[in-house]
Short mmCIF file of all heavy atoms in Angstrom, two decimals:
data_model
loop_
_atom_site.label_atom_id
_atom_site.label_comp_id
_atom_site.label_asym_id
_atom_site.label_seq_id
_atom_site.Cartn_x
_atom_site.Cartn_y
_atom_site.Cartn_z
N VAL B 199 -38.95 -1.33 -51.58
CA VAL B 199 -39.99 -1.08 -52.58
C VAL B 199 -40.35 0.40 -52.71
O VAL B 199 -41.23 0.76 -53.49
CB VAL B 199 -41.27 -1.90 -52.26
CG1 VAL B 199 -40.95 -3.40 -52.29
CG2 VAL B 199 -41.86 -1.52 -50.90
N GLY B 200 -39.67 1.25 -51.93
CA GLY B 200 -40.03 2.67 -51.95
C GLY B 200 -38.82 3.57 -52.09
O GLY B 200 -37.82 3.21 -52.71
N LEU B 201 -38.92 4.75 -51.49
CA LEU B 201 -37.87 5.76 -51.57
C LEU B 201 -37.08 5.81 -50.27
O LEU B 201 -37.61 5.49 -49.21
CB LEU B 201 -38.50 7.14 -51.79
CG LEU B 201 -39.31 7.34 -53.08
CD1 LEU B 201 -40.10 8.64 -53.01
CD2 LEU B 201 -38.35 7.35 -54.28
N PRO B 202 -35.81 6.27 -50.32
CA PRO B 202 -35.03 6.38 -49.08
C PRO B 202 -35.32 7.68 -48.30
O PRO B 202 -34.62 7.99 -47.34
CB PRO B 202 -33.59 6.34 -49.57
CG PRO B 202 -33.64 6.85 -50.96
CD PRO B 202 -35.00 6.51 -51.51
N PHE B 203 -36.33 8.43 -48.72
CA PHE B 203 -36.71 9.66 -48.00
C PHE B 203 -38.22 9.84 -48.13
O PHE B 203 -38.87 9.18 -48.94
CB PHE B 203 -35.96 10.87 -48.58
CG PHE B 203 -36.13 11.02 -50.07
CD1 PHE B 203 -37.29 11.59 -50.60
CD2 PHE B 203 -35.16 10.55 -50.95
CE1 PHE B 203 -37.45 11.71 -51.97
CE2 PHE B 203 -35.32 10.65 -52.33
CZ PHE B 203 -36.48 11.23 -52.84
N ILE B 204 -38.75 10.76 -47.31
CA ILE B 204 -40.18 11.08 -47.38
C ILE B 204 -40.38 12.18 -48.40
O ILE B 204 -39.85 13.29 -48.23
CB ILE B 204 -40.69 11.56 -46.00
CG1 ILE B 204 -40.45 10.50 -44.92
CG2 ILE B 204 -42.17 11.95 -46.08
CD1 ILE B 204 -40.65 11.01 -43.50
N PRO B 205 -41.12 11.89 -49.47
CA PRO B 205 -41.30 12.92 -50.50
C PRO B 205 -42.36 13.93 -50.07
O PRO B 205 -43.51 13.56 -49.84
CB PRO B 205 -41.78 12.11 -51.71
CG PRO B 205 -42.49 10.92 -51.12
CD PRO B 205 -41.85 10.66 -49.77
N VAL B 206 -41.96 15.19 -49.91
CA VAL B 206 -42.95 16.24 -49.60
C VAL B 206 -42.68 17.46 -50.48
O VAL B 206 -41.55 17.68 -50.92
CB VAL B 206 -42.89 16.70 -48.12
CG1 VAL B 206 -43.42 15.65 -47.18
CG2 VAL B 206 -41.50 17.16 -47.73
N ASP B 207 -43.71 18.20 -50.67
CA ASP B 207 -43.59 19.49 -51.35
C ASP B 207 -42.82 20.41 -50.41
O ASP B 207 -43.29 20.75 -49.33
CB ASP B 207 -45.00 20.02 -51.61
CG ASP B 207 -44.99 21.43 -52.18
OD1 ASP B 207 -43.89 22.01 -52.33
OD2 ASP B 207 -46.09 21.95 -52.46
N PRO B 208 -41.60 20.86 -50.81
CA PRO B 208 -40.77 21.64 -49.88
C PRO B 208 -41.44 22.95 -49.43
O PRO B 208 -41.09 23.47 -48.37
CB PRO B 208 -39.48 21.91 -50.66
CG PRO B 208 -39.66 21.36 -52.01
CD PRO B 208 -40.92 20.59 -52.09
N SER B 209 -42.41 23.41 -50.21
CA SER B 209 -43.06 24.66 -49.79
C SER B 209 -43.91 24.46 -48.54
O SER B 209 -44.31 25.42 -47.89
CB SER B 209 -43.93 25.21 -50.93
OG SER B 209 -45.08 24.41 -51.09
N LYS B 210 -44.20 23.20 -48.20
CA LYS B 210 -44.94 22.93 -46.96
C LYS B 210 -44.04 23.02 -45.72
O LYS B 210 -44.53 23.07 -44.60
CB LYS B 210 -45.57 21.53 -47.00
CG LYS B 210 -46.70 21.38 -47.98
CD LYS B 210 -47.71 20.31 -47.57
CE LYS B 210 -47.07 18.96 -47.30
NZ LYS B 210 -48.09 17.92 -47.03
N ILE B 211 -42.73 22.95 -45.94
CA ILE B 211 -41.81 22.98 -44.80
C ILE B 211 -41.70 24.43 -44.32
O ILE B 211 -41.03 25.26 -44.93
CB ILE B 211 -40.42 22.41 -45.17
CG1 ILE B 211 -40.59 20.94 -45.63
CG2 ILE B 211 -39.46 22.50 -43.98
CD1 ILE B 211 -39.30 20.26 -46.07
N VAL B 212 -42.38 24.73 -43.20
CA VAL B 212 -42.46 26.12 -42.75
C VAL B 212 -41.36 26.47 -41.76
O VAL B 212 -41.08 27.65 -41.54
CB VAL B 212 -43.84 26.41 -42.10
CG1 VAL B 212 -44.94 26.32 -43.15
CG2 VAL B 212 -44.11 25.48 -40.93
N ALA B 213 -40.76 25.47 -41.15
CA ALA B 213 -39.72 25.78 -40.17
C ALA B 213 -38.79 24.58 -40.02
O ALA B 213 -39.22 23.43 -40.16
CB ALA B 213 -40.34 26.12 -38.82
N ILE B 214 -37.54 24.88 -39.74
CA ILE B 214 -36.54 23.84 -39.47
C ILE B 214 -35.86 24.20 -38.15
O ILE B 214 -35.43 25.35 -37.96
CB ILE B 214 -35.50 23.75 -40.60
CG1 ILE B 214 -36.20 23.36 -41.92
CG2 ILE B 214 -34.40 22.75 -40.25
CD1 ILE B 214 -35.30 23.42 -43.14
N VAL B 215 -35.78 23.23 -37.26
CA VAL B 215 -35.14 23.45 -35.96
C VAL B 215 -33.93 22.51 -35.89
O VAL B 215 -34.05 21.34 -36.24
CB VAL B 215 -36.11 23.15 -34.80
CG1 VAL B 215 -35.43 23.37 -33.46
CG2 VAL B 215 -37.36 24.02 -34.93
N VAL B 216 -32.80 23.02 -35.49
CA VAL B 216 -31.60 22.18 -35.38
C VAL B 216 -31.45 21.76 -33.92
O VAL B 216 -31.48 22.59 -33.01
CB VAL B 216 -30.35 22.92 -35.88
CG1 VAL B 216 -29.11 22.04 -35.72
CG2 VAL B 216 -30.54 23.31 -37.34
N THR B 217 -31.33 20.44 -33.71
CA THR B 217 -31.24 19.90 -32.34
C THR B 217 -30.03 18.98 -32.26
O THR B 217 -29.41 18.65 -33.27
CB THR B 217 -32.50 19.07 -31.99
OG1 THR B 217 -32.45 17.84 -32.73
CG2 THR B 217 -33.78 19.81 -32.33
N GLN B 218 -29.72 18.56 -31.04
CA GLN B 218 -28.70 17.51 -30.93
C GLN B 218 -28.90 16.60 -29.74
O GLN B 218 -27.97 15.92 -29.30
CB GLN B 218 -27.29 18.09 -30.97
CG GLN B 218 -27.08 19.31 -30.12
CD GLN B 218 -25.72 19.93 -30.45
OE1 GLN B 218 -24.89 19.33 -31.13
NE2 GLN B 218 -25.49 21.11 -29.94
N LYS B 219 -30.12 16.55 -29.24
CA LYS B 219 -30.40 15.66 -28.12
C LYS B 219 -30.45 14.21 -28.62
O LYS B 219 -31.00 13.91 -29.69
CB LYS B 219 -31.75 16.04 -27.50
CG LYS B 219 -31.94 15.47 -26.11
CD LYS B 219 -33.28 15.89 -25.51
CE LYS B 219 -33.13 17.05 -24.56
NZ LYS B 219 -34.38 17.39 -23.89
N LEU B 220 -29.89 13.30 -27.84
CA LEU B 220 -29.90 11.88 -28.21
C LEU B 220 -31.28 11.26 -27.98
O LEU B 220 -32.06 11.76 -27.17
CB LEU B 220 -28.89 11.12 -27.35
CG LEU B 220 -27.41 11.43 -27.58
CD1 LEU B 220 -26.57 10.75 -26.48
CD2 LEU B 220 -26.95 10.96 -28.95
N ASP B 221 -31.54 10.15 -28.68
CA ASP B 221 -32.69 9.32 -28.34
C ASP B 221 -32.52 8.80 -26.91
O ASP B 221 -31.40 8.58 -26.45
CB ASP B 221 -32.75 8.08 -29.26
CG ASP B 221 -33.40 8.36 -30.60
OD1 ASP B 221 -33.96 9.46 -30.80
OD2 ASP B 221 -33.36 7.45 -31.46
N SER B 222 -33.64 8.59 -26.23
CA SER B 222 -33.59 7.88 -24.94
C SER B 222 -33.18 6.45 -25.20
O SER B 222 -33.52 5.87 -26.24
CB SER B 222 -34.96 7.86 -24.30
OG SER B 222 -35.40 9.16 -24.01
N SER B 223 -32.52 5.85 -24.24
CA SER B 223 -32.23 4.43 -24.41
C SER B 223 -33.41 3.61 -23.92
O SER B 223 -34.27 4.09 -23.18
CB SER B 223 -30.94 4.06 -23.68
OG SER B 223 -30.94 4.60 -22.40
N SER B 224 -33.45 2.37 -24.35
CA SER B 224 -34.59 1.52 -24.01
C SER B 224 -34.50 1.11 -22.54
O SER B 224 -33.44 1.14 -21.93
CB SER B 224 -34.63 0.29 -24.90
OG SER B 224 -33.99 -0.79 -24.28
N THR B 225 -35.64 0.72 -22.01
CA THR B 225 -35.72 0.34 -20.59
C THR B 225 -35.79 -1.17 -20.44
O THR B 225 -36.16 -1.68 -19.39
CB THR B 225 -36.97 0.96 -19.95
OG1 THR B 225 -38.09 0.61 -20.76
CG2 THR B 225 -36.86 2.47 -19.90
N VAL B 226 -35.43 -1.87 -21.52
CA VAL B 226 -35.50 -3.33 -21.48
C VAL B 226 -34.50 -3.88 -20.46
O VAL B 226 -33.35 -3.45 -20.40
CB VAL B 226 -35.22 -3.89 -22.89
CG1 VAL B 226 -34.81 -5.34 -22.85
CG2 VAL B 226 -36.45 -3.69 -23.77
N LEU B 227 -34.98 -4.82 -19.65
CA LEU B 227 -34.10 -5.45 -18.66
C LEU B 227 -33.41 -6.64 -19.28
O LEU B 227 -33.94 -7.27 -20.20
CB LEU B 227 -34.92 -5.88 -17.44
CG LEU B 227 -35.69 -4.77 -16.73
CD1 LEU B 227 -36.62 -5.35 -15.67
CD2 LEU B 227 -34.73 -3.75 -16.12
N PRO B 228 -32.23 -6.99 -18.78
CA PRO B 228 -31.56 -8.18 -19.33
C PRO B 228 -32.36 -9.45 -18.97
O PRO B 228 -33.14 -9.45 -18.02
CB PRO B 228 -30.20 -8.17 -18.63
CG PRO B 228 -30.37 -7.31 -17.43
CD PRO B 228 -31.46 -6.34 -17.73
N PRO B 229 -32.17 -10.52 -19.72
CA PRO B 229 -32.86 -11.78 -19.43
C PRO B 229 -32.58 -12.23 -18.00
O PRO B 229 -31.50 -12.04 -17.47
CB PRO B 229 -32.24 -12.76 -20.44
CG PRO B 229 -31.75 -11.90 -21.57
CD PRO B 229 -31.33 -10.62 -20.93
N ASP B 230 -33.61 -12.81 -17.34
CA ASP B 230 -33.40 -13.44 -16.04
C ASP B 230 -33.79 -14.92 -16.17
O ASP B 230 -34.09 -15.39 -17.27
CB ASP B 230 -34.21 -12.73 -14.94
CG ASP B 230 -35.71 -12.77 -15.20
OD1 ASP B 230 -36.17 -13.62 -16.00
OD2 ASP B 230 -36.43 -11.95 -14.62
N GLN B 231 -33.78 -15.64 -15.05
CA GLN B 231 -34.02 -17.08 -15.15
C GLN B 231 -35.39 -17.37 -15.75
O GLN B 231 -35.55 -18.26 -16.59
CB GLN B 231 -33.88 -17.75 -13.77
CG GLN B 231 -33.90 -19.28 -13.83
CD GLN B 231 -32.89 -19.84 -14.82
OE1 GLN B 231 -31.73 -19.46 -14.83
NE2 GLN B 231 -33.33 -20.73 -15.72
N GLU B 232 -36.40 -16.61 -15.33
CA GLU B 232 -37.75 -16.88 -15.82
C GLU B 232 -37.89 -16.56 -17.31
O GLU B 232 -38.51 -17.33 -18.05
CB GLU B 232 -38.77 -16.10 -14.99
CG GLU B 232 -38.91 -16.70 -13.59
CD GLU B 232 -39.87 -15.94 -12.70
OE1 GLU B 232 -40.11 -14.75 -12.96
OE2 GLU B 232 -40.37 -16.55 -11.74
N THR B 233 -37.33 -15.43 -17.75
CA THR B 233 -37.44 -15.14 -19.18
C THR B 233 -36.61 -16.14 -19.99
O THR B 233 -36.99 -16.49 -21.10
CB THR B 233 -37.01 -13.69 -19.51
OG1 THR B 233 -35.67 -13.49 -19.09
CG2 THR B 233 -37.92 -12.68 -18.81
N ARG B 234 -35.51 -16.60 -19.40
CA ARG B 234 -34.72 -17.64 -20.08
C ARG B 234 -35.54 -18.93 -20.20
O ARG B 234 -35.48 -19.61 -21.22
CB ARG B 234 -33.42 -17.91 -19.35
CG ARG B 234 -32.23 -17.13 -19.93
CD ARG B 234 -30.90 -17.61 -19.37
NE ARG B 234 -30.75 -17.25 -17.97
CZ ARG B 234 -30.17 -16.10 -17.55
NH1 ARG B 234 -29.66 -15.26 -18.41
NH2 ARG B 234 -30.09 -15.83 -16.26
N ASP B 235 -36.30 -19.24 -19.16
CA ASP B 235 -37.16 -20.43 -19.22
C ASP B 235 -38.22 -20.28 -20.31
O ASP B 235 -38.52 -21.22 -21.05
CB ASP B 235 -37.83 -20.68 -17.87
CG ASP B 235 -36.85 -21.20 -16.82
OD1 ASP B 235 -35.74 -21.62 -17.20
OD2 ASP B 235 -37.20 -21.20 -15.62
N ILE B 236 -38.81 -19.10 -20.37
CA ILE B 236 -39.81 -18.84 -21.41
C ILE B 236 -39.19 -19.04 -22.79
O ILE B 236 -39.75 -19.73 -23.66
CB ILE B 236 -40.38 -17.41 -21.26
CG1 ILE B 236 -41.24 -17.33 -19.99
CG2 ILE B 236 -41.19 -17.01 -22.49
CD1 ILE B 236 -41.69 -15.91 -19.62
N ALA B 237 -38.01 -18.45 -22.98
CA ALA B 237 -37.31 -18.60 -24.26
C ALA B 237 -37.03 -20.08 -24.54
O ALA B 237 -37.18 -20.55 -25.67
CB ALA B 237 -36.00 -17.81 -24.24
N GLY B 238 -36.66 -20.81 -23.50
CA GLY B 238 -36.36 -22.24 -23.66
C GLY B 238 -37.57 -23.02 -24.12
O GLY B 238 -37.49 -23.86 -25.03
N HIS B 239 -38.74 -22.76 -23.52
CA HIS B 239 -39.95 -23.47 -23.92
C HIS B 239 -40.30 -23.20 -25.38
O HIS B 239 -40.69 -24.09 -26.12
CB HIS B 239 -41.13 -23.06 -23.03
CG HIS B 239 -40.94 -23.36 -21.57
ND1 HIS B 239 -40.48 -24.58 -21.13
CD2 HIS B 239 -41.16 -22.62 -20.46
CE1 HIS B 239 -40.41 -24.57 -19.80
NE2 HIS B 239 -40.81 -23.39 -19.37
N LEU B 240 -40.13 -21.92 -25.78
CA LEU B 240 -40.48 -21.58 -27.15
C LEU B 240 -39.50 -22.20 -28.14
O LEU B 240 -39.91 -22.70 -29.20
CB LEU B 240 -40.52 -20.05 -27.31
CG LEU B 240 -41.06 -19.57 -28.66
CD1 LEU B 240 -42.47 -20.09 -28.91
CD2 LEU B 240 -41.03 -18.06 -28.73
N THR B 241 -38.22 -22.21 -27.77
CA THR B 241 -37.23 -22.84 -28.64
C THR B 241 -37.53 -24.33 -28.82
O THR B 241 -37.42 -24.87 -29.93
CB THR B 241 -35.81 -22.65 -28.06
OG1 THR B 241 -35.57 -21.25 -27.92
CG2 THR B 241 -34.75 -23.24 -28.97
#
Side-chain angles (χ1 to χ4, degrees):
Chain B
V199 299
L201 298 168
F203 54 80
I204 302 168
V206 289
D207 174 357
S209 72
K210 290 208 306 186
I211 300 178
V212 294
I214 298 173
V215 180
V216 179
T217 72
Q218 44 191 348
K219 197 179 261 185
L220 293 171
D221 277 352
S222 297
S223 46
S224 94
T225 53
V226 160
L227 302 172
D230 60 19
Q231 189 52 48
E232 288 178 338
T233 59
R234 264 191 290 269
D235 287 346
I236 290 172
H239 299 313
L240 188 58
T241 302

